[in-house]
């Protein structure tokens, strides 16, 4: 499995608006992308730091999703009042113990 980690420094007052947008508009579209395995959103409400991690079955499927998620990523930054562009990193997942 592979993960794309996006970090965005948002305006704390605009976090809920950005979260709602991701949940209601972007996540449903991502779920239809080949290889999508899940998404986790972490945030620090006091500082406005947001870390979104999407999970993909293979590195190739993660790479193939780049164009489809780039617009969503920038829209979230804009909605959240970010002054800097999102920072994106990509990783192989070596261990995952998430249980639903």
């Amino acid at each position: 499995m592979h993960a794309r980690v996006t970090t965005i420094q948002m305006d704390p007052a605009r976090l809920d608006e950005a979260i709602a947008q991701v949940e209601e508009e972007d996540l449903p579209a991502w779920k239809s992308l080949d290889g999508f395995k899940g998404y986790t959103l972490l945030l620090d409400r006091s500082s406005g730091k947001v870390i979104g991690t999407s999970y993909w079955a293979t590195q190739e499927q993660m790479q193939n999703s780049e164009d489809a998620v780039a617009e969503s990523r920038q829209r979230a930054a804009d909605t959240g009042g970010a002054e800097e562009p999102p920072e994106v990193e990509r990783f192989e997942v070596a261990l995952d113990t998430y249980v639903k």
Side-chain angles (χ1 to χ4, degrees), residues 78-92:
D78 293 343
T79 300
E83 295 182 7
E84 299 291 326
E87 181 180 312
V88 181
E89 300 174 283
R90 293 154 190 86
F91 299 94
E92 178 181 351

Side-chain angles (χ1 to χ4, degrees), residues 20-91:
Q21 176 184 290
V22 169
E23 186 175 22
E24 296 166 11
E25 298 175 26
D26 298 317
L27 200 51
W30 300 342
K31 287 179 178 180
S32 70
L33 296 173
D34 190 36
F36 180 81
K37 291 295 186 186
Y39 183 75
T40 303
L41 186 64
L42 306 172
L43 59 91
D44 180 335
R45 285 195 179 273
S46 62
S47 72
K49 184 174 183 176
V50 176
I51 302 171
T53 305
S54 59
Y55 300 94
W56 304 88
T58 68
Q59 183 176 16
E60 181 181 13
Q61 289 167 323
M62 181 175 68
Q63 289 170 336
N64 291 342
S65 72
E66 292 288 344
D67 290 341
V69 301
E71 185 177 319
S72 297
R73 182 171 39 239
Q74 188 58 54
R75 188 172 47 251
D78 293 343
T79 300
E83 295 182 7
E84 299 291 326
E87 181 180 312
V88 181
E89 300 174 283
R90 293 154 190 86
F91 299 94

Side-chain angles (χ1 to χ4, degrees), residues 3-23:
R4 181 172 34 242
V5 179
T6 301
T7 304
I8 306 173
Q9 186 63 49
M10 295 185 180
D11 176 348
R14 296 172 66 178
L15 287 174
D16 288 331
E17 183 181 356
I19 293 166
Q21 176 184 290
V22 169
E23 186 175 22

